[in-house]
Amino acid sequence: MLTPRQALLLGKVVDGFSATGQPVGSKRLAEDPEVKAGPSTVRNELAVLEERGLLAHPHTSAGRVPTDAGYRYYVDELLPAATPAHELRLELVRREVVEAMRVTTETLSQVTNLLAIVSAPPIGTTTIRHIEVLALQPQVLMVVVITSTGGVSKKLFTFDRPVDPGLADWAGSYLNEKLVGTGLGARMLHSRLADPALAASERAFVEELSPAFTELAETAEDTLYVDGAHRLLSEYRFQDVSQLNALMEMLERRVSLLGVLTAALDSRDAYVRIGRENSEPALRSLSLVAANYGLPQRNLGTVSVIGPTRMDYARAIRSVRDAAFQLSRFMEELY
């Protein structure tokens, strides 16, 4: 543990470096009215913090910058006592899930000036909300499936002979009765569709249309909503071009990014990974702040921001928590 003065100085260095991107020197700290110590004492305390691995000299400058360990101490020990005034407000009422995800991502990026990422609920939590069986031509039908997350899938079926319009209408009513509220697991859908009480012609027709439902889970992919790459690039200068390229490549490879965010699903509080704490090489010079959202007994996804290690952690953590809380309330009302 640090002494109160050392903790104060570490916090001042983190805040100063976050605001300017420039090393913070002892003279500047000694001039701060909250620091009740002269320049020599401040220099000694900074030297101690450097010996403990919390601060570093970036070059020959007399100023210090936080290390990953310094940021970690700041987040774990100094931020809990802070009370950030900023609050994030989302307009999610009467929106479909897809639109709610977009609004959350865009708003979070605007508030933090960081790269914002929201993972959509996994396909296993999705249920069927409505089905339409539409006759496009005498021999061509289209089955439209609308899911609880606002997704819409369409599948065309071509038959050897014209389809009886009455049979198509019956199929629409029957499928809604049997499948609305059912999850997208193929086994469950097959069991719902297999009704021995149906006439042979009806059973054969339903079997013909079944791929519109049973293939949904196979073709669906976990979705990420991303916003703010341009804000991140304009707000912070990336000294290492390879660092920027690695981040852009990771955004293109959604699978690896999903793996990173999955780790945050089990966290009860804000999930913060700083610099080399990140397992993904593309993030080892960046920081990730995430929080999960969902139902009382089940987490559905994550809300997160990615940015330089000198990000404003107080604002990032508060904004991510606010967004996750409001998205959870939206999901509770929806489900």
Side-chain angles (χ1 to χ4, degrees):
M1 294 295 293
L2 302 181
T3 66
R5 183 163 60 200
Q6 290 167 349
L8 175 65
L9 291 172
L10 176 61
K12 292 291 183 182
V13 173
V14 171
D15 292 340
F17 186 62
S18 174
T20 66
Q22 298 299 317
V24 181
S26 57
K27 180 179 179 182
R28 174 180 164 188
L29 291 170
E31 292 172 350
D32 190 303
E34 293 185 44
V35 178
K36 310 297 183 183
S40 60
T41 302
V42 170
R43 281 195 296 273
N44 289 334
E45 295 285 37
L46 293 179
V48 171
L49 292 172
E50 188 173 351
E51 289 175 2
R52 299 183 68 170
L54 302 177
L55 296 179
H57 272 99
H59 40 71
T60 56
S61 164
R64 263 78 168 190
V65 298
T67 62
D68 290 353
Y71 283 120
R72 171 53 61 189
Y73 189 95
Y74 176 84
V75 169
D76 291 345
E77 303 296 337
L78 306 184
L79 276 190
T83 54
H86 185 82
E87 291 187 3
L88 177 144
R89 297 186 183 278
L90 301 175
E91 298 294 334
L92 303 181
V93 179
R94 296 181 182 176
R95 293 184 186 273
E96 293 288 353
V97 170
V98 170
E99 184 62 21
M101 297 286 146
R102 289 199 184 100
V103 169
T104 301
T105 311
E106 291 171 4
T107 306
L108 189 57
S109 175
Q110 290 169 3
V111 166
T112 61
N113 278 329
L114 299 171
L115 182 71
I117 305 171
V118 177
S119 62
I123 196 66
T125 67
T126 304
T127 59
I128 293 173
R129 177 182 288 177
H130 184 71
I131 299 164
E132 289 281 351
V133 179
L134 305 174
L136 302 184
Q137 297 175 17
Q139 294 175 238
V140 180
L141 293 182
M142 181 169 68
V143 177
V144 180
V145 182
I146 302 173
T147 68
S148 60
T149 58
V152 178
S153 73
K154 302 173 183 178
K155 191 170 182 65
L156 290 176
F157 295 88
T158 302
F159 297 85
D160 295 334
R161 62 187 67 181
V163 177
D164 180 355
L167 185 60
D169 290 343
W170 167 84
S173 300
Y174 175 80
L175 292 169
N176 274 290
E177 177 186 343
K178 286 289 185 178
L179 299 183
V180 167
T182 303
L184 295 186
R187 184 176 300 176
M188 182 182 296
L189 290 170
H190 272 302
S191 65
R192 286 291 185 96
L193 292 171
D195 187 347
L198 293 178
S201 60
E202 294 172 338
R203 190 161 57 249
F205 189 62
V206 168
E207 185 64 29
E208 287 266 14
L209 301 182
S210 65
F213 316 103
T214 57
E215 293 176 5
L216 268 179
E218 298 171 9
T219 58
E221 297 180 354
D222 291 320
T223 303
L224 289 177
Y225 296 87
V226 181
D227 192 85
H230 61 292
R231 292 190 184 90
L232 183 64
L233 299 183
S234 61
E235 183 73 11
Y236 299 94
R237 293 181 179 178
F238 284 82
Q239 296 178 347
D240 187 350
V241 176
S242 64
Q243 169 191 334
L244 177 59
N245 290 337
L247 177 60
M248 295 300 107
E249 288 177 8
M250 186 178 183
L251 291 178
E252 294 175 2
R253 293 182 290 107
R254 298 297 177 95
V255 173
S256 60
L257 193 52
L258 273 167
V260 171
L261 298 179
T262 298
L265 278 176
D266 297 328
S267 179
R268 292 186 176 183
D269 200 358
Y271 176 90
V272 182
R273 289 295 178 269
I274 299 167
R276 295 189 177 277
E277 294 176 354
N278 289 294
S279 58
E280 187 67 29
L283 296 179
R284 286 182 182 164
S285 59
L286 302 169
S287 287
L288 166 74
V289 177
N292 60 61
Y293 70 87
L295 308 175
Q297 302 301 323
R298 185 173 190 180
N299 294 329
L300 298 178
T302 58
V303 176
S304 60
V305 292
I306 292 174
T309 53
R310 71 176 185 90
M311 70 166 65
D312 183 339
Y313 288 95
R315 169 172 287 191
I317 292 171
R318 179 59 177 269
S319 298
V320 164
R321 282 174 176 162
D322 285 349
F325 174 75
Q326 293 175 60
L327 204 49
S328 292
R329 292 182 62 183
F330 170 80
M331 288 296 175
E332 288 178 37
E333 293 175 2
L334 179 69
Y335 281 86

